């Protein structure tokens, strides 16, 4: 079967370091941290009392009161980012064939705030206290459903849920949907809104998060010897993908091209990475094979890089095994040092960062990297952005359950 080329023509980003794509990119290049002490709810006695949150978020700026009450924040974030991406792509919604537009957008957890609030309502008032919108606001697929309903897109509509690999898996699925002719265009990416009392408590109980409460902005420090866990983040990243010839016909601006991906499983542990890196290596090798390129063609990898003691070493070792001597010639980075770990949105937000590194010829830094771990011995673009011509960029995303995903983006060339 002849496959079609797939390009990116629109980008939307709602993140802790920028509430639009230009703001997000400025935050990345300038090395700005989005972590801060939580003031929205009481964190007394929480081991971690900070997170990377959307700054000054006010749903009334985007939704009327009735609509906002029927949308969990996870759907709100995705709708805001989708609206930016669609406007950025300069689509004429009155002339496109909406039967051929897919919406494939995921969330790792779904409506966590809704689940918490409705559990409290049930506890206090019983069954009569539960909202009729509880289930529709909670389920992960409602994010894609709400986008489809808002714009009337009737093409393939679903979500992939794979924890912190969710965003990447959805982008890869959308890429295939266009490549093999099920749609001509797709709205795709991920969204997450986990910064809630129960969300923070759950990750605290796992001892997965940093407890550097005295300095939230420096708490996410991937590859640093003093790293002590990730910083929880929130937000959404959305792409408009199009079949190349259709994009060219309407004169669309093309940011870059998706040329391949690789998926795999660790088959090792529910949360811990495989120290041998077998699954991660398989995902990266599959991505290279799918793209039809050699390891030495990759210029940049936006790593999963969560700032956990085991994860950063395991990913580093996997990259060295896949790329050999070329591993030291690439610019690597972890944008989680600035955005925190946005879970199901991470693969999408970080794909935006990887794509813009190609588009602008700049690799954003890994901030807070002061004392590099000797076991993390590659070039992580420490603390300062670097100008570099990037032809191919890879984005890695891994999730609880051992889910691995690697996407490959390419500078657009006729």
């Amino acid at each position: 079967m002849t496959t079609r080329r797939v390009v990116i023509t629109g980008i939307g980003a709602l993140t802790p370091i920028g509430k639009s794509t230009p703001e997000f990119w400025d935050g990345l290049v300038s090395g700005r941290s989005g972590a801060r002490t939580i003031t929205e709810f009481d964190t007394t006695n929480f081991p971690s009392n900070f997170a990377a949150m959307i700054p000054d978020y006010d749903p009334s700026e985007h939704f009327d009161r009735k609509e906002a009450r029927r949308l969990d924040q996870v759907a709100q974030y995705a709708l805001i980012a989708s609206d930016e991406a669609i406007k950025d792509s300069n689509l004429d919604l009155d002339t496109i064939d909406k039967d051929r537009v897919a919406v494939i957008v995921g969330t790792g957890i779904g409506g966590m705030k809704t689940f918490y609030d409705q559990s409290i309502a049930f506890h206090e008032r019983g069954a009569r206290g539960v909202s009729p919108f509880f289930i529709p606001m909670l389920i992960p697929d409602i994010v894609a459903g709400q986008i489809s309903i808002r714009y009337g897109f009737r093409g393939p509509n679903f979500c992939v849920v794979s924890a912190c690999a969710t965003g990447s898996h959805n982008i890869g699925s959308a890429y295939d949907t266009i490549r093999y002719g099920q749609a001509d265009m797709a709205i795709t990416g991920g969204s997450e809104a986990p910064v809630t009392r129960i969300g923070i408590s759950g990750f605290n109980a796992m001892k997965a998060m940093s407890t550097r409460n005295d300095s939230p902005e420096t708490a996410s420090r991937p590859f640093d010897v003093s790293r002590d866990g990730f910083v929880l983040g929130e937000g959404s990243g959305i792409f408009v993908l199009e079949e190349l010839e259709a994009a060219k016909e309407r004169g669309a601006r093309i940011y870059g091209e998706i040329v391949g991906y690789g998926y795999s499983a660790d088959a090792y542990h529910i949360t811990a990475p495989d120290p041998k890196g077998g699954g991660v290596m398989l995902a990266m090798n599959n991505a290279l094979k799918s793209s039809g390129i050699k390891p030495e063609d990759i210029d940049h990898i936006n790593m999963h890089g969560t700032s956990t003691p085991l994860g950063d070493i395991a990913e580093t070792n996997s990259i060295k095994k896949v790329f050999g001597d070329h591993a030291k010639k690439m610019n690597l980075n972890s944008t989680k040092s600035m955005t925190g770990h946005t879970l199901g949105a991470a693969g999408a937000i970080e794909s935006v960062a990887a794509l813009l590194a190609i588009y602008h010829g700049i690799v954003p830094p890994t901030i807070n990297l002061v004392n590099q771990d000797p076991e993390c011995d590659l070039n992580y673009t420490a603390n300062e952005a670097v100008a570099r011509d990037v032809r191919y960029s890879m984005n890695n995303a891994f999730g609880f359950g051992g889910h691995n995903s690697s996407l490959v983006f390419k500078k657009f060339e006729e």
Side-chain angles (χ1 to χ4, degrees), residues 266-380:
D266 277 354
Y268 175 75
H269 189 271
I270 57 170
T271 56
D274 179 357
K276 295 182 179 179
V280 170
M281 288 187 287
L282 182 60
M284 289 190 287
N285 278 321
N286 285 344
L288 293 170
K289 182 178 180 181
S290 171
S291 305
I293 62 175
K294 303 182 293 295
E296 53 267 32
D297 291 325
I298 297 289
D299 301 300
H300 162 243
I301 301 178
N302 193 305
M303 295 174 62
H304 188 58
T306 56
S307 187
T308 56
L310 295 179
D312 291 357
I313 293 172
E315 187 177 6
T316 293
N317 289 337
S318 296
I319 288 172
K320 289 193 288 188
K321 290 174 182 175
V322 169
F323 290 91
D325 292 340
H326 184 66
K328 294 185 180 293
K329 300 176 183 178
M330 298 183 289
N331 274 91
L332 314 177
N333 69 338
S334 171
T335 50
K336 288 185 180 72
S337 61
M338 294 172 274
T339 66
H341 192 352
T342 58
L343 308 182
I349 291 172
E350 292 161 25
S351 286
V352 171
L355 178 68
L356 291 179
I358 293 174
Y359 189 71
H360 292 292
I362 300 174
V363 177
T366 302
I367 67 169
N368 302 324
L369 183 48
V370 179
N371 297 304
Q372 190 164 318
D373 188 334
E375 293 190 72
C376 297
D377 56 353
L378 298 175
N379 175 14
Y380 305 107

Side-chain angles (χ1 to χ4, degrees), residues 222-304:
F223 320 114
D224 193 276
V225 71
S226 64
R227 66 192 182 279
D228 68 332
F230 69 79
V231 173
L232 191 62
E234 62 179 4
S236 180
I238 299 292
F239 283 149
V240 175
L241 304 186
E242 290 189 63
E243 187 272 325
L244 173 60
E245 296 306 319
K248 288 167 60 178
E249 184 176 345
R250 72 178 187 87
R253 171 184 51 190
I254 295 174
Y255 284 101
E257 184 174 0
I258 302 179
V259 292
Y261 64 89
Y263 302 155
S264 71
D266 277 354
Y268 175 75
H269 189 271
I270 57 170
T271 56
D274 179 357
K276 295 182 179 179
V280 170
M281 288 187 287
L282 182 60
M284 289 190 287
N285 278 321
N286 285 344
L288 293 170
K289 182 178 180 181
S290 171
S291 305
I293 62 175
K294 303 182 293 295
E296 53 267 32
D297 291 325
I298 297 289
D299 301 300
H300 162 243
I301 301 178
N302 193 305
M303 295 174 62
H304 188 58

